[in-house]
């Protein structure tokens, strides 16, 4: 997730704020201050910060279970519409996916229970709508918020936890890809319904959430189809080769030339002995293009955090890394030298070629059965 700021690191997972989240906090603070004055604005900010603390706890519910299954969890990003825990991979085993997905909402239901105990009575549902008038009842409003978040996340739509729960339940009986495509269809339908209802109610935030869910469901389906297309192939068969090679001391102006005159957007940086040091990415090269006449060298701006897999590994490994947030995946040959790159574009190409072949063979089947 680009343009986010780390605010804390908990047990090796960094908690980051996306810039849109800071903008969102600023807008709320400004509008509360202008309509209700300083003390109401301060109380509302405190409530919102506590709400997001509950969301961080929700994400750490997922993270603690994922860790138990040995899955790395590098970061949590907070967006205005909630939190996203990044897992290095989503397990294929339905029981593991189910346990990870359900752990988040469980945290909110536990928090709801604790806050109700603290309140000493059942919350009054009006308390949340009184928020708009500047009336703050911290514990009561936080309790209701946790219940709403827990229930909302159980909606059976990606990337809501309910979407993953649904897919895991379907995957107990069906192949993983079939389970994904049914779960994404249901998610897309739900997102369209939510978006239309939100527009009718004039609730733009809810409409934005509808669009977000629709896009996320579509991405999830694509990842499922990519996994089908490359299933069982070695990564050597899906990687792109023939990239212009760079050494550490090359100025980035050379990379700018390559970006302009070739189709390559990623460039490996190698030692003179052919050993892989890192990668230059198009976005980084362009960002540095204005720096002192692009006199920086490849070694200064190359990325050394790009994951690398040996060429005999399964291609799904590369797809997992890319869907987990890696911009590209490097591929090395048997001696550890640079062999090629896997990126989103060529994974999508593999998917489209696979779909075209499947359509063609369906047509042939139809013809022979007529
Ligand atoms: Zn969740």
């Amino acid at each position: 997730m680009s343009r986010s700021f780390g605010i804390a690191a908990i047990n090796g997972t960094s908690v980051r704020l996306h810039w849109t989240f800071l903008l969102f906090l600023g807008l709320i603070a400004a509008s509360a201050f202008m309509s209700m004055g300083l003390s109401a604005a301060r109380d509302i900010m405190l409530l919102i910060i506590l709400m997001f603390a509950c969301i961080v706890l929700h994400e750490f519910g997922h993270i603690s279970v994922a860790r138990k299954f040995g899955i790395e969890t590098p970061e949590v990003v907070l967006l205005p519409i909630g939190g996203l825990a990044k897992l290095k991979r989503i397990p294929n085993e339905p029981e593991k996916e189910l346990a990870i997905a359900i752990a988040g909402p469980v945290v909110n239901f536990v928090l709801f229970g604790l806050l109700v105990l603290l309140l000493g009575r059942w919350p009054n549902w009006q308390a949340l709508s009184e928020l708009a008038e500047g009336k703050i009842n911290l514990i009561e409003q936080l309790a209701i918020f946790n219940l709403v978040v827990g229930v909302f996340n159980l909606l059976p739509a990606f990337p809501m936890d309910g979407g993953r729960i649904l897919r895991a339940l379907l995957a107990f009986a069906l192949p993983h890809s079939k389970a994904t495509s049914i779960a994404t269809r249901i998610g897309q339908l739900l997102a369209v319904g939510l978006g239309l209802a939100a527009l009718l109610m004039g609730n733009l935030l809810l409409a934005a959430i509808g669009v977000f869910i629709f896009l996320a469901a579509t991405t999830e389906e694509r990842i499922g189809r990519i996994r089908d297309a490359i299933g069982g192939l070695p990564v050597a068969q899906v990687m792109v080769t023939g990239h212009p090679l760079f050494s550490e001391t090359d100025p980035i102006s050379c990379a700018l030339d390559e970006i302009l005159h070739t189709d390559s957007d990623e460039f490996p940086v190698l030692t003179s002995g052919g050993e892989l040091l890192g990668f230059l990415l198009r976005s980084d090269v362009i960002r540095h293009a204005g720096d002192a006449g692009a006199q920086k060298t490849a070694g200064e701006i190359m990325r050394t955090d790009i994951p690398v897999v040996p060429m005999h590994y399964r291609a799904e490994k590369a797809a997992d890394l890319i869907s987990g947030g890696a911009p590209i995946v490097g591929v090395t040959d048997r001696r550890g030298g640079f062999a090629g790159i896997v990126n989103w574009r060529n994974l999508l190409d593999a998917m489209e070629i696979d779909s075209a072949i499947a359509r063609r063979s369906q047509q042939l089947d139809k013809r022979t059965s007529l």
Side-chain angles (χ1 to χ4, degrees):
M1 191 74 47
S2 60
R3 302 283 162 208
S4 58
F5 311 89
I7 50 162
I10 303 169
N11 237 342
T13 302
S14 109
V15 179
R16 307 182 68 82
L17 300 181
H18 194 253
W19 69 270
T20 51
F21 178 76
L22 294 175
L23 182 70
F24 168 77
L25 279 189
L27 284 176
I28 290 184
S31 85
F33 174 68
M34 284 193 289
S35 59
M36 290 173 281
L38 183 63
S39 75
R42 193 192 52 212
D43 290 349
I44 286 181
M45 292 315 286
L46 176 65
L47 176 66
I48 289 180
I49 288 169
L50 287 174
M51 284 174 168
F52 275 90
C54 293
I55 288 180
V56 171
L57 289 174
H58 167 113
E59 299 304 331
F60 274 88
H62 296 306
I63 285 173
S64 59
V65 179
R67 288 264 181 94
K68 282 213 173 68
F69 297 135
I71 296 168
E72 281 177 59
T73 54
E75 63 180 32
V76 169
V77 183
L78 285 180
L79 301 156
I81 57 161
L84 277 181
K86 256 192 204 159
L87 307 186
K88 270 279 165 73
R89 61 186 178 85
I90 301 291
N92 265 341
E93 302 91 330
E95 63 283 0
K96 288 186 183 171
E97 182 171 34
L98 184 63
I100 294 171
I102 220 162
V106 164
V107 168
N108 294 110
F109 295 134
V110 169
L111 286 170
F112 172 72
L114 291 175
L115 288 161
V116 168
L117 282 179
L118 209 60
L119 192 64
R121 62 177 167 80
W122 199 248
N124 175 2
W125 308 115
Q126 295 299 318
L128 212 56
S129 50
E130 285 172 359
L131 194 59
E133 300 152 27
K135 285 189 202 157
I136 299 287
N137 184 339
L138 213 58
I139 295 175
E140 192 162 26
Q141 284 158 341
L142 265 186
I144 299 170
F145 174 75
N146 273 290
L147 187 65
V148 170
V149 169
V151 171
F152 188 67
N153 270 286
L154 290 180
L155 285 179
F158 291 112
M160 302 288 165
D161 301 327
R164 301 200 183 283
I165 292 169
L166 176 66
R167 173 173 59 192
L169 292 175
L170 289 168
F172 279 117
L174 300 167
H176 196 264
S177 56
K178 187 80 190 154
T180 303
S181 78
I182 295 175
T184 46
R185 283 283 171 276
I186 293 175
Q188 285 168 330
L189 274 176
L190 215 106
V192 169
L194 186 72
L196 286 178
L199 284 180
L200 287 177
M201 292 189 300
N203 188 334
L204 285 184
L205 181 64
L206 205 57
I209 292 176
V211 172
F212 178 72
I213 293 175
F214 189 87
L215 293 178
T218 311
T219 308
E220 195 75 26
E221 193 201 7
R222 268 194 183 167
I223 293 168
R225 283 173 57 198
I226 286 172
R227 285 176 139 278
D228 285 352
I230 60 176
L233 294 178
V235 72
Q237 264 185 45
V238 297
M239 70 186 182
V240 195
T241 56
H243 295 85
L245 305 175
F246 282 79
S247 77
E248 254 183 305
T249 51
D250 286 334
I252 62 170
S253 53
C254 302
L256 285 168
D257 281 347
E258 297 292 352
I259 288 172
L260 266 178
H261 302 300
T262 70
D263 277 342
S264 299
D265 286 341
E266 305 100 8
F267 311 99
V269 182
L270 311 178
T271 63
S272 52
E275 200 183 316
L276 184 61
L277 291 170
F279 289 94
L280 290 177
L281 300 187
R282 179 180 184 275
S283 52
D284 294 336
V285 175
I286 290 178
R287 191 146 37 84
H288 286 282
D291 295 356
Q295 283 314 299
K296 283 215 162 97
T297 61
E300 283 175 286
I301 69 157
M302 70 181 178
R303 300 271 290 261
T304 51
D305 57 346
I306 302 290
V308 173
V309 298
M311 64 196 294
H312 62 276
Y313 268 38
R314 283 173 163 244
E316 281 117 309
K317 175 74 189 162
D320 283 347
L321 288 164
I322 287 174
S323 63
I328 58 170
V329 173
V331 184
T332 51
D333 61 24
R334 286 183 191 280
R335 283 168 296 143
F338 172 74
I341 288 174
V342 179
N343 58 26
W344 251 119
R345 233 178 352 182
N346 69 303
L347 288 179
L348 289 175
D349 286 346
M351 179 192 87
E352 278 175 25
I353 292 168
D354 184 71
S355 304
I357 293 172
R359 272 200 304 276
R360 172 95 183 121
S361 65
Q362 267 171 8
Q363 281 168 356
L364 288 176
D365 280 353
K366 249 184 226 156
R367 227 175 279 160
T368 46
S369 64
L370 276 174

